[in-house]
Amino acid sequence: MPRGPRQLDGREVAQRLRAAMPDAVAGATDEWVEVAAPRVAEVLRWLHDDPALDAAQLSSLCSVDRYDRFELVYHLQSLDQNHLIVVKAVLDREQPSLPSVYGVYRGALLQEREVYDLMGIHFEGHPDLRRLFLWEGFPGHPLRKNFLQIAGHHPGLPRFPFEEPGKQAR
Amino acid sequence: MTAASEPYVLNIGPQHPSTHGVFRVRVVMDGERIRDIDMIVGYLHRSMEKLAEERTYTQNIPFTDRADYLAAMSGNLGYCLAVEQLAGVEVPERASYLRVIFAELQRIASHAMANGQLVSDAGAWQTPLLYMWREREKILDLFEMTCGARLTTNYMRIGGVAFDPPPEFFPAASALLDELPARIAEYTELLVDNEIFLARTRNVGVISAADAINASLAGPMLRGSGVPWDLRKAEPYCGYDRFDFAVPVGRAGDAYDRFMVRMEEVRQSVGIVRQALDGLPPGAHKTDIPLALRPEPGEAYARVEGPRGELGFYLVSDGGPAPYRFHIRAPSLINLTLLREMAVGASLPDAIVALGSIDIVVGEIDR
Amino acid sequence: MSRFAAWQALRAMGPASFPIGVRARAVPRLRGLRVAGALAALVLVAVSIAIGVVVVSGVLDGRWYDLRDLGIAMAHLRGRLDERFDPAVSYVASALIGATGILGFVGLVLLVLVWVERRVLARMQIRRGPNRVGPFGLLQPVADAIKLIQKETIIPRGADRLMYYLPPLLVFIPLMLVMGALPWAPRMIYLDLNVGVLYVIAVSSLSTLAIFMAGWSSNNHYALLGAMRTIAMMISYEIPQSIALLPVVLITGSMSLGGIVEWQADHNLWLAPMLPLALFTFFFASTAELNRTPNDIAEAESEIIAGFHTEYSGMKFGLYYAVEMGNATAVAALVTTMFLGGWSAFGLEEWVPPYAIFAVKVSAVYFLFIWLRGTLPRFRLDQLMAFAWKYLIPLSILNTFVVAVESSIAARWEVAGVVSLGLITLFNLGFTIVAARAWTRALGYRPQRERLLRPRLTTAVGGLLAAQRLQREATPDSASGA
């Protein structure tokens, strides 16, 4: 599993989180800690305020469409401690919605708008949740894997251009 | 006495001399004061993140040129680092040095452009811009010499760089490095001793250190506010810990500090490039990777300190030939978070200077 | 559906649904009128040249006239005409010649200055400038003019058409009127008014009206902002500009522009060293009136695009551009007249045509304008207003008072002119330095010290705690400098 040089072990973070909020943690690997989506704002607030973890900055917020679920990935950066914490929240694909972390990190303002625009995830409590790049009324959310499915488009690249079907090149 | 007037809406952009591209802000103004500001982006949205999901890892490198087209090398570097982290590719020593050399040259070029634009926005009719472009031109010539392209370089490769610089690159580069410090000193002196420039940039667009951190600002925006944060020091990729350089930190967090931080960074970058050129080890400039690169399923987040700040690439692999998810953490976009705080209550000229000091690149905002 | 058919269909739906905010045929057909106007201008020029040749070559009175003094030639012509015809004829003839001369001069100067300004600016900006059309790009202004004339005139939807049409023509009037009052040579003044200074001030502020009309009628916020800024600036800078001319009048004892130049010629002394503060005030206020850097806030490109003429295109834009240059020339000529001795050059005017001396001086002052444009950033609106009201106006009033006292002493003092004028010069130089420094200090201005403004260098990274630590380390340092 690739892991950045300054990235904290997710299980360690999970352990500390469990001590503070036992029911917020949904799982952990050496890379990330997964939290319950409805409690993500609370968890991030705790991580932000905790002096040891000191997640002062929301470095990046992005979303991944896993066909059956959405993953929200928060990269939290501690500047004073110089480490990176990865927090994930898993969302239902039908009505994707979770609390906005704008109250904790103002840096989420545009990043949440971007996720809302391109992935269609609703952030409750965001002060200004509008589409960012596309116009209001754009049909669908392009970063979803099933975007343009009706038109017969399949996402991803099935094989390399020079490969025979069913035979992987090296 | 205050005189109130009917507020009106002013559309600045997408075609406007100081929006640096097709950036648009919709401003509610009361006379010359800005009451409210709302940015409207997406005029240059090319859906890179979606397109990248259907191209191989190597085919995606040109996207990273075209995201931040003023810092193509930094974009290349960040993306290649992310893929290398994902696929576990080792990079030869010489390639790391070359990457540092070109990323730092790119930083000089980009900062020259940014500072020139800022002064141009402050009303100096293009003269400082053109002088700074002279240095940028020389750097672009070096790029052209090495990889054939000036702007969208497509130079870094997964596992190294595309080409070794030609022999004539080294004398040209060292000649440039010899003249750059004097030029930087000259420009800095000319502008910093100019009372009009000081009056236009000091206490304009002030951001406190706490706000800057909380709003995810990065790069000269963050350092201008007094936070000594530089990924080259904090997370030394490409062996940046081998080089001796300092991180410039501003005082007040205003447009002037951002300008000066950029100027000082150029000076530091000259030092880094010189050290890297002196210590450039022999060897291969890239390592062979499988033509059909299929990284193990997993994810990687690699960041570099681009000219505009923390340029992050988040890659998810499902074991296929193309990234499952490709996300760019675009500093230009995220640095705009506090635009409202900087502009509301200011007058139009101040807001223009504040916007210029953010140093946006619309290609990177919209992607 | 072809593109043309689609266009037709859109037109048929009426102007409200026409997607582009442009009227298809904005210009009425006035081609015949234009041709007639052009022909009339050509005839006028030809006739004037013919008259000039006739006068100078001495066909009329058998005397060959020296090119150094066209004024004498004109006087003789008037005398000859007065002998034979009604006085009205000679008046109209000389007026026509003068007007054509000024028009021709303005046109020629604009063509040359466009090229000079672009080339000089390009040199300052390490560019080449126009160098393709004609030798050294000299025909570039002509090519530009042809291009601009060919362009379609676009009128924004919702613009007040009459108000929109008039300003490009109206802005020319003040320029021509000011040009008319300039003394080119001892007897080469078209309008030799005994209140020339007053006239120039009064006439030059007329262009505000045209600019405001342009800004208001364009139906564009940028244009309106530009017009508002222009008016704010004009109101502020008319005052110091006018006050700055009072010392000139006090010293020379004449309000006639010709008289001012003659005083300087008689005393072999330019007023510039005698009245440095007035010179600076007049020059700076003029840059504000002219929308030249560093005071070009009314056309601040990076803020409000082009200000009041944002919506003008084609030759209307060209006219604004020309008038801007022409106004700069006029101001340069005024500076020359008032402070740099006009056509006089310490006796050189006996050997060289005085109008050539005048032109050289005007070019030198104009070069200063170009230099400023290539060098300085722009003030903010409020900073510019503050500079007028807080610095220029009080200082120039003080200066006027001082000069009044000096000149009344000099008038009563029985001493050679060299001594009294020399003393006044020395005193005024010292006074300018002391007054400017003391006044700025009194208003709380401290020059920024560069040493303290450099960013701090650190090698340790960190977040808020590190930032606060750095701030604390720097506090004693910055406290002493603030």
Side-chain angles (χ1 to χ4, degrees):
Chain A
M1 278 288 168
R3 188 146 75 84
R6 286 279 181 176
Q7 197 169 326
L8 283 194
D9 194 324
R11 289 166 299 204
E12 192 186 320
V13 179
Q15 206 176 353
R16 296 204 204 167
L17 256 180
R18 276 204 191 88
M21 335 182 178
D23 50 343
V25 181
T29 71
D30 65 333
E31 279 187 80
W32 66 79
V33 50
E34 187 186 322
V35 302
R39 305 201 54 187
V40 67
E42 279 173 64
V43 170
L44 261 57
R45 164 60 67 190
W46 187 84
L47 289 172
H48 178 271
D49 292 344
D50 184 65
L53 291 171
D54 179 47
Q57 196 178 42
L58 175 66
S59 167
S60 156
L61 189 171
C62 82
S63 55
V64 185
D65 184 358
R66 295 281 188 183
Y67 286 103
D68 56 338
R69 62 188 196 277
F70 286 127
E71 273 176 12
L72 263 282
V73 189
Y74 300 85
H75 289 91
L76 308 176
Q77 176 72 47
S78 162
L79 303 184
D80 278 316
Q81 312 281 340
N82 192 4
H83 58 235
L84 188 73
I85 304 167
V86 184
V87 176
K88 283 194 178 186
V90 173
L91 283 181
D92 178 32
R93 214 169 183 292
E94 292 308 308
Q95 289 282 327
S97 170
L98 82 168
S100 163
V101 296
Y102 178 71
V104 189
Y105 300 107
R106 287 161 91 183
L109 180 74
L110 296 172
Q111 305 192 52
E112 283 184 351
R113 272 181 70 184
E114 186 190 337
V115 171
Y116 167 73
D117 183 6
L118 300 179
M119 199 66 100
I121 293 170
H122 195 267
F123 292 92
E124 298 152 20
H126 189 283
D128 183 26
L129 197 63
R130 285 174 298 141
R131 301 197 92 142
L132 186 63
F133 299 135
L134 305 170
W135 57 97
E136 296 294 334
F138 183 86
H141 303 281
L143 276 186
R144 287 189 180 186
K145 291 286 177 186
N146 62 354
F147 181 69
L148 294 184
Q149 208 172 35
I150 299 168
H153 180 81
H154 298 287
L157 187 68
R159 57 178 182 276
F160 281 99
F162 49 84
E163 274 179 340
E164 301 284 321
K167 205 170 86 179
Q168 271 199 7
R170 160 72 189 82
Chain B
M1 189 187 82
T2 55
S5 61
E6 182 85 1
Y8 60 95
V9 175
L10 186 68
N11 266 302
I12 300 179
Q15 262 78 34
H16 187 279
S18 56
T19 51
H20 306 184
V22 284
F23 181 72
R24 175 180 167 205
V25 279
R26 204 168 161 278
V27 185
V28 179
M29 298 204 14
D30 181 4
E32 288 264 343
R33 294 269 149 208
I34 291 177
R35 284 270 193 85
D36 193 13
I37 188 166
D38 179 24
M39 60 173 232
I40 297 158
V41 297
Y43 289 92
L44 207 57
H45 182 55
R46 290 152 293 176
S47 190
M48 280 183 185
E49 297 186 1
K50 183 73 175 175
L51 291 171
E53 289 173 9
E54 296 172 17
R55 275 153 184 77
T56 67
Y57 286 92
T58 308
Q59 281 175 340
N60 280 334
I61 297 175
F63 281 136
T64 60
D65 300 334
R66 284 150 179 83
D68 183 350
Y69 43 75
L70 294 182
M73 290 288 186
S74 308
N76 288 175
L77 177 57
Y79 174 73
C80 290
L81 286 177
V83 179
E84 281 153 16
Q85 193 181 327
L86 192 65
V89 177
E90 286 295 319
V91 180
E93 191 80 333
R94 185 178 174 86
S96 276
Y97 270 80
L98 287 173
R99 285 176 169 190
V100 168
I101 290 169
F102 282 99
E104 293 304 318
L105 285 175
Q106 183 74 75
R107 187 187 316 281
I108 297 170
S110 175
H111 280 350
M113 180 95 174
N115 275 346
Q117 290 282 12
L118 173 61
V119 187
S120 209
D121 285 351
W125 200 77
Q126 293 190 348
T127 310
L129 180 69
L130 283 159
Y131 275 85
M132 292 185 194
W133 271 3
R134 175 172 60 181
E135 320 314 333
R136 179 171 176 265
E137 278 300 307
K138 288 175 184 164
I139 291 170
L140 296 189
D141 286 346
L142 290 181
F143 287 179
E144 190 179 8
M145 207 183 274
T146 308
C147 64
R150 294 161 66 83
L151 211 60
T152 50
T153 52
N154 190 16
Y155 177 59
M156 313 277 175
R157 291 285 184 276
I158 299 158
V161 295
F163 313 102
D164 222 14
E168 59 266 30
F169 171 86
F170 298 100
S174 51
L176 177 64
L177 292 181
D178 286 341
E179 74 180 44
L180 261 178
R183 298 253 192 241
I184 302 159
E186 186 189 350
Y187 302 154
T188 317
E189 202 173 306
L190 282 174
L191 287 164
V192 166
D193 282 352
N194 189 321
E195 287 287 337
I196 304 177
F197 180 70
L198 289 178
R200 284 303 306 278
T201 51
R202 299 210 73 196
N203 298 320
V204 170
V206 179
I207 293 176
S208 71
D211 277 353
I213 293 174
N214 194 254
S216 300
L217 302 191
M221 291 283 282
L222 189 61
R223 289 192 283 275
S225 294
V227 184
W229 179 253
D230 190 321
L231 282 170
R232 292 175 293 172
K233 286 276 184 201
E235 203 183 284
Y237 53 91
C238 285
Y240 263 108
D241 43 358
R242 286 177 296 214
F243 304 113
D244 176 32
F245 65 99
V247 180
V249 178
R251 287 150 201 268
D254 52 12
Y256 172 81
D257 274 338
R258 282 166 223 145
F259 174 86
M260 286 304 285
V261 163
R262 288 198 184 100
M263 277 297 193
E264 190 56 46
E265 274 182 24
V266 170
R267 208 192 306 271
Q268 299 294 334
S269 290
V270 170
I272 298 174
V273 177
R274 186 169 281 139
Q275 292 171 44
L277 278 175
D278 288 346
L280 186 65
H285 63 275
K286 67 177 168 190
T287 160
D288 283 339
I289 56 156
L291 192 55
L293 182 70
R294 292 176 202 270
E296 293 292 305
E299 58 194 60
Y301 181 57
R303 302 170 293 169
V304 294
E305 185 70 35
R308 271 152 272 283
E310 180 183 339
L311 179 60
F313 286 87
Y314 179 67
L315 288 176
V316 180
S317 163
D318 61 348
Y324 182 78
R325 177 84 170 90
F326 169 81
H327 175 71
I328 306 175
R329 184 244 188 250
S332 281
L333 174 70
I334 298 172
N335 283 351
L336 281 169
T337 305
L338 289 183
L339 180 64
R340 184 187 293 263
E341 279 74 2
M342 286 160 78
V344 170
S347 65
L348 182 61
D350 279 352
I352 294 287
V353 168
L355 181 65
S357 73
I358 298 177
D359 182 22
I360 54 172
V361 171
V362 180
E364 191 182 48
I365 294 175
D366 290 351
R367 276 161 285 152
Chain C
M1 191 191 277
S2 71
R3 264 166 65 189
F4 181 70
W7 187 78
Q8 289 272 312
L10 277 168
R11 291 289 295 153
M13 280 189 271
S17 62
F18 196 54
I20 305 159
V22 177
R23 295 188 190 177
R25 173 156 284 286
V27 193
R29 285 183 179 277
L30 290 172
R31 186 155 294 160
L33 205 61
R34 286 181 185 184
V35 172
L39 281 178
L42 276 179
V43 168
L44 204 62
V45 171
V47 167
S48 319
I49 291 171
I51 292 176
V53 168
V54 165
V55 169
V56 171
S57 65
V59 176
L60 285 178
D61 51 359
R63 279 177 64 189
W64 182 82
Y65 284 104
D66 194 346
L67 263 181
R68 275 179 305 186
D69 206 340
L70 287 173
I72 297 172
M74 283 304 299
H76 275 272
L77 173 69
R78 286 191 70 162
R80 303 283 295 190
L81 288 174
D82 279 341
E83 284 169 19
R84 295 185 189 178
F85 306 103
D86 195 60
V89 175
S90 73
Y91 180 77
V92 169
S94 57
L96 266 180
I97 293 169
T100 319
I102 292 169
L103 262 177
F105 168 74
V106 170
L108 190 72
V109 146
L110 292 183
L111 284 185
V112 175
L113 279 189
V114 169
W115 180 82
V116 167
E117 172 145 5
R118 288 178 64 178
R119 288 287 285 204
V120 172
L121 208 53
R123 284 285 145 161
M124 289 177 178
Q125 299 181 337
I126 48 170
R127 294 186 285 124
R128 298 236 171 222
N131 63 353
R132 292 286 127 180
V133 192
F136 308 106
L138 267 170
L139 294 178
Q140 184 68 43
V142 181
D144 284 347
I146 292 171
K147 178 200 74 176
L148 286 173
I149 288 168
Q150 283 177 335
K151 277 191 162 183
E152 182 192 10
T153 309
I154 299 169
I155 300 188
R157 182 188 282 177
D160 188 327
R161 299 193 69 180
L162 179 68
M163 290 292 192
Y164 183 81
Y165 265 117
L166 279 178
L169 307 175
L170 291 186
V171 286
F172 248 105
I173 295 173
L175 168 63
M176 299 305 296
L177 292 179
V178 171
M179 283 288 186
L182 295 175
W184 283 87
R187 278 163 298 277
M188 264 177 79
I189 312 179
Y190 184 54
L191 287 173
D192 193 6
L193 298 170
N194 54 359
V195 286
V197 175
L198 204 62
Y199 166 82
V200 162
I201 289 168
V203 160
S204 64
S205 52
L206 277 180
S207 61
T208 319
L209 206 62
I211 286 172
F212 185 59
M213 275 168 74
W216 185 263
S217 65
S218 292
N219 194 26
N220 179 318
H221 282 312
Y222 288 114
L224 189 59
L225 271 173
M228 291 301 183
R229 286 177 170 199
T230 308
I231 287 171
M233 217 153 61
M234 290 270 180
I235 290 171
S236 304
Y237 276 90
E238 278 293 315
I239 303 166
Q241 198 183 16
S242 313
I243 296 175
L245 295 184
L246 287 182
V248 176
V249 175
L250 282 170
I251 291 271
T252 60
S254 165
M255 279 189 96
S256 138
L257 294 177
I260 290 171
V261 177
E262 266 157 30
W263 187 91
Q264 300 180 60
D266 291 346
H267 288 79
N268 272 330
L269 175 69
W270 295 356
L271 285 177
M274 277 184 82
L275 303 166
L277 191 61
L279 172 62
F280 172 75
T281 311
F282 185 76
F283 189 79
F284 191 85
S286 302
T287 58
E289 299 249 322
L290 291 173
N291 289 327
R292 307 274 309 188
T293 329
N295 305 333
D296 55 340
I297 54 168
E299 307 173 4
E301 193 202 349
S302 60
E303 293 152 25
I304 52 172
I305 303 176
F308 58 89
H309 61 76
T310 303
E311 287 288 358
Y312 284 90
S313 59
M315 202 53 212
K316 288 185 190 303
F317 162 76
L319 283 175
Y320 278 119
Y321 193 71
V323 167
E324 196 185 318
M325 300 236 150
N327 278 335
T329 323
V331 163
L334 285 177
V335 170
T336 308
T337 305
M338 311 263 187
F339 297 99
L340 299 179
W343 42 260
S344 73
F346 312 114
L348 193 65
E349 64 268 24
E350 299 292 325
W351 308 97
V352 182
Y355 49 82
I357 295 176
F358 186 72
V360 167
K361 287 183 183 175
V362 170
S363 313
V365 179
Y366 194 84
F367 177 79
L368 255 178
F369 281 128
I370 303 177
W371 195 359
L372 283 181
R373 185 174 174 195
T375 314
L376 289 181
R378 183 188 306 120
F379 279 111
R380 208 169 55 209
L381 185 61
D382 54 329
Q383 290 164 346
L384 198 57
M385 298 297 133
F387 191 68
W389 291 99
K390 284 160 75 176
Y391 294 90
L392 286 187
I393 294 179
L395 278 177
S396 51
I397 289 175
L398 199 61
N399 189 36
T400 308
F401 175 72
V402 168
V403 172
V405 171
E406 283 169 356
S407 56
S408 71
I409 290 173
R412 284 161 181 74
W413 194 17
E414 300 289 329
V415 76
V418 182
V419 177
S420 64
L421 292 178
L423 280 177
I424 289 178
T425 307
L426 286 178
F427 182 79
N428 276 353
L429 280 172
F431 167 77
T432 303
I433 294 165
V434 172
R437 282 183 67 93
W439 186 259
T440 48
R441 293 265 160 181
L443 284 182
Y445 167 79
R446 300 283 177 274
Q448 314 269 10
R449 271 193 282 162
E450 195 255 352
R451 181 179 60 83
L452 300 166
L453 303 177
R454 288 204 174 280
R456 287 189 288 270
L457 294 175
T458 171
T459 47
V461 294
L464 195 55
L465 296 176
Q468 285 160 353
R469 202 165 52 238
L470 273 172
Q471 200 71 40
R472 268 200 306 278
E473 283 167 13
T475 311
D477 183 40
S478 61
S480 63

